[in-house]
C-alpha cells in the first residue's frame, strides 16, 4: 500500500490515490485538451480547452470513484466490510475485508458498479442535452462523460473474472451449482478466454481489420495492452481466492513451524553463514543468550549484512530482538494472520503461548502451506 496516498473518507471509507493515477490524469487531460475538444469544438479559445479538459478529467475520476462507492455501499449493506478504495491507473479497486458468503450478495455487489456507471451516463447525457442550446462548454464536457461512463460500464461487464461481469457470472454459477470454488474456476477460465480473445482481436485490428469499424491499427495495441492487464489480474485474483479458501479453518498452531536451530548471540555472521545456515533448511534461527531466547534471525537479515562486515557482526546484532517481534496467539486464524502480514508488511510473526515462544510463521511458508493444501485437495 506504499504506492498510494490517502485523500480522505467518503461514507467512512478511506479513499486513496495510487501514484500511477497522476500519470493517467495528465494523459487524459492532454488527450482531451489537445486533441478531443479542439477537434470537436474548433471555435473555443485555447484557454477553454484546458479549463474544460481538466474539469472533465476530474469529473471522470469522480465517476470512477462513484462506481467503486456503489460496489462498496451495496457490499457494506450485505455485511462485507470495505477497508478502503484505491483509484489507480485503470479505474478503482475497493479493498474488501472478506469475500461474500452468499451468491446473492456477490451478485448485487458486482452489478452495482456498472449499473451506477450507466446511471451516470444517463445523467451526463441529460445535462448535455439540456445545456446544448446555451452552454457549449458544459454540453461538450458532459457529452464526453456520458460516453466514457457507458464505455466503463460496458468494459466492466465483460464476463471475465475479476471484472464485474466475471463476478456476476461467478455469482450465477455459484448460485446454480452451490459450489463457490467451482464457480470461481469457471469464471477464471472465462477471464482467460476474454484476454486471449482481446489479444487475437488486437492483432487483427493492428493489421488493419478494424478499419471499417473506424478502428486504427494503433488501437489494436491498446487491446493487447488491456489483454495483458486482464490476464494478470485474473491470475492474481484466482491465486488470492484459492489462498484464502485453503487457509480457512486453520489456526496459527496448525501452520506454524515448531523446530528452529538455536545459535548463540555471539556467533558471527560468517560463522553462521558457513555453518548452521548451510546445513539446515530452516527459514529462521532462534538467537539465544544462555538459556533465554533473545531474538530471531532470518536468512533475509543475514543477506542484509554487507559481506565485509560478516566477521565483525554478531548474530545478536543482526537479529530482531524478542521485544520487537510481532506476536499472534496459537488460536488466531491463519487467514487473518496472512491479511495482517500483508497490511503491516511483515515477513514473520511469532506464536506465543503463556509468555513462551512456541512457533513461528513466515509469510512464504504460510503461502506454501496454502498452495500444498490446495494441490492435495484438487
Ligand atoms: Zn466495478
Amino acid at each position: 500500500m506504499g504506492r498510494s496516498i490517502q485523500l480522505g473518507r467518503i461514507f467512512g471509507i478511506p479513499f486513496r490515490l495510487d501514484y500511477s493515477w497522476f500519470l493517467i490524469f495528465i494523459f487524459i487531460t492532454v488527450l482531451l485538451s489537445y486533441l478531443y475538444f479542439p477537434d470537436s469544438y474548433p471555435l473555443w479559445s485555447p484557454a477553454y480547452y484546458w479549463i474544460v479538459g481538466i474539469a472533465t478529467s476530474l469529473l471522470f475520476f469522480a465517476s470512477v470513484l462513484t462506481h467503486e462507492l456503489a460496489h462498496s455501499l451495496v457490499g457494506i449493506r450485505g455485511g462485507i466490510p470495505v477497508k478502503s478504495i484505491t483509484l489507480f491507473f485503470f479505474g478503482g479497486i475497493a479493498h474488501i475485508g472478506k469475500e461474500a458468503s452468499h451468491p446473492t450478495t456477490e451478485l448485487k455487489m458486482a452489478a452495482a458498479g456498472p449499473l451506477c456507471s450507466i446511471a451516470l451516463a444517463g445523467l451526463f447525457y441529460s445535462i448535455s442535452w439540456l445545456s446544448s442550446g446555451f452552454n457549449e462548454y458544459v454540453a461538450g464536457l458532459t457529452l464526453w462523460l456520458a460516453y466514457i461512463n457507458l464505455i466503463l460500464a460496458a468494459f466492466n461487464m465483460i464476463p471475465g473474472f475479476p471484472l464485474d461481469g466475471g463476478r456476476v457470472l461467478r455469482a450465477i454459477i455459484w448460485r446454480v451449482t452451490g459450489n463457490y470454488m467451482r464457480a470461481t474456476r469457471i469464471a477464471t477460465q472465462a477471464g482467460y478466454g476474454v484476454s486471449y480473445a482481446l489479444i487475437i482481436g488486437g492483432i487483427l485490428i493492428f493489421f488493419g481489420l478494424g478499419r471499417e469499424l473506424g478502428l486504427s491499427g494503433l488501437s489494436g495495441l491498446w487491446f493487447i495492452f488491456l489483454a495483458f492487464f486482464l490476464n494478470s489480474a485474473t491470475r492474481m485474483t484466482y491465486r488470492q481466492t484459492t489462498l484464502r479458501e485453503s487457509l480457512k479453518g486453520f489456526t496459527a498452531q496448525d501452520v506454524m513451524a515448531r523446530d528452529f536451530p538455536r545459535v548463540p548471540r555471539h556467533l558471527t555472521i560468517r560463522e553462521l553463514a558457513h555453518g548452521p545456515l548451510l546445513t539446515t533448511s530452516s527459514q529462521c534461527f532462534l538467537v539465544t543468550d544462555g538459556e533465554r531466547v533473545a531474538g530471531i534471525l532470518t536468512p533475509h537479515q543475514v543477506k542484509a549484512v554487507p559481506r565485509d562486515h560478516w566477521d565483525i557482526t554478531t548474530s545478536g546484532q543482526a537479529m530482531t530482538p524478542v521485544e520487537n517481534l510481532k506476536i499472534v496467539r496459537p488460536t488466531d486464524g491463519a487467514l487473518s494472520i496472512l491479511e495482517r502480514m500483508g497490511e503491516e508488511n511483515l515477513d514473520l510473526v511469532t506464536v506465543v503461548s503463556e509468555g513462551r515462544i512456541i512457533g513461528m510463521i513466515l509469510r512464504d511458508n504460510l503461502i506454501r502451506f496454502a498452495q500444498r493444501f490446495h494441490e492435495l485437495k484438487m
Side-chain angles (χ1 to χ4, degrees):
M1 296 280 274
R3 286 173 21 88
S4 60
I5 49 166
Q6 186 168 334
L7 277 197
R9 284 169 179 271
I10 300 178
F11 297 112
I13 307 166
F15 127 67
R16 315 176 65 92
L17 280 186
D18 188 273
Y19 292 134
S20 64
W21 180 88
F22 292 98
L23 278 181
I24 209 78
F25 178 76
I26 292 168
F27 176 71
I28 290 183
T29 306
V30 170
L31 207 71
L32 286 168
S33 310
Y34 195 72
L35 291 172
Y36 173 76
F37 285 128
D39 243 27
S40 315
Y41 308 94
L43 298 178
W44 294 2
S45 74
Y48 274 98
Y49 292 134
W50 289 98
I51 295 168
V52 177
I54 290 169
T56 311
S57 248
L58 287 174
L59 282 168
F60 167 58
F61 283 101
S63 303
V64 174
L65 182 62
T66 313
H67 173 118
E68 294 309 320
L69 269 178
H71 285 306
S72 304
L73 293 179
V74 173
I76 289 169
R77 276 191 57 181
I80 295 170
V82 177
K83 289 181 181 165
S84 66
I85 294 176
T86 308
L87 290 192
F88 73 118
F89 201 76
F90 255 101
I93 282 189
H95 300 274
I96 53 173
K98 61 174 192 182
E99 294 281 336
S101 53
H102 197 274
T104 315
T105 317
E106 163 116 340
L107 184 69
K108 283 184 190 160
M109 190 177 174
L115 287 177
C116 170
S117 294
I118 290 172
L120 282 175
L123 175 72
F124 283 126
Y125 191 78
S126 315
I127 297 174
S128 176
W129 185 73
L130 289 171
S131 59
S132 63
F134 51 94
N135 192 327
E136 209 180 30
Y137 305 120
V138 173
L141 170 152
T142 45
L143 186 64
W144 187 85
L145 286 168
Y147 284 134
I148 201 74
N149 272 291
L150 211 55
I151 291 172
L152 208 65
F155 176 70
N156 275 294
M157 276 316 285
I158 294 175
F161 193 65
L163 295 174
D164 297 336
R167 290 183 183 275
V168 168
L169 178 68
R170 172 169 80 169
I172 293 170
I173 301 171
W174 181 10
R175 196 165 174 170
V176 172
T177 62
N179 187 330
Y180 173 75
M181 273 320 285
R182 195 167 151 206
T184 306
R185 272 200 298 278
I186 297 172
T188 299
Q189 293 308 326
Y192 287 133
V194 169
S195 57
Y196 297 139
L198 280 174
I199 290 180
I200 294 169
I203 293 171
L204 293 178
I205 291 168
F206 184 73
F207 287 108
L209 253 83
R211 235 166 259 151
E212 267 109 78
L213 297 166
L215 293 165
S216 71
L218 275 182
S219 56
L221 292 180
W222 180 241
F223 274 68
I224 295 169
F225 179 56
L226 221 55
F228 278 104
F229 166 77
L230 180 61
N231 194 288
S232 76
T234 303
R235 190 174 324 118
M236 222 168 70
T237 315
Y238 183 66
R239 248 188 36 201
Q240 273 165 2
T241 310
T242 52
L243 199 66
R244 299 173 81 102
E245 277 307 294
S246 303
L247 288 181
K248 253 184 203 166
F250 287 105
T251 61
Q253 56 189 344
D254 297 324
V255 298
M256 70 187 187
R258 291 156 201 273
D259 300 315
F260 314 97
R262 290 169 172 252
V263 294
R265 67 176 306 157
H266 58 76
L267 203 71
T268 65
I269 295 298
R270 182 172 306 283
E271 286 168 322
L272 178 70
H274 290 173
L277 195 63
L278 291 178
T279 53
T280 176
S281 61
S282 179
Q283 292 296 306
C284 153
F285 294 92
L286 293 182
V287 181
T288 54
D289 189 5
E291 275 303 292
R292 198 178 69 89
V293 175
I296 280 164
L297 190 58
T298 63
H300 279 299
Q301 287 171 309
V302 171
K303 275 181 213 147
V305 179
R307 261 174 194 268
D308 50 343
H309 286 144
W310 276 19
D311 285 317
I312 50 169
T313 309
T314 64
S315 302
Q317 288 166 327
M319 72 183 185
T320 309
V322 168
E323 51 277 18
N324 294 351
L325 290 172
K326 300 289 173 181
I327 285 166
V328 297
R329 287 183 304 254
T331 48
D332 287 350
L335 181 57
S336 72
I337 292 171
L338 182 72
E339 283 167 351
R340 183 179 159 198
M341 291 175 107
E343 271 163 32
E344 297 177 27
N345 209 2
L346 306 171
D347 280 332
L348 172 143
V349 293
T350 319
V351 187
V352 171
S353 171
E354 292 166 357
R356 219 165 51 82
I357 296 178
I358 59 165
M360 219 81 72
I361 300 175
L362 285 111
R363 202 180 156 156
D364 296 348
N365 286 5
L366 194 54
I367 291 169
R368 213 170 305 139
F369 176 93
Q371 278 166 350
R372 270 190 214 145
F373 181 77
H374 177 68
E375 281 160 16
L376 286 175
K377 247 187 359 180
M378 301 302 319

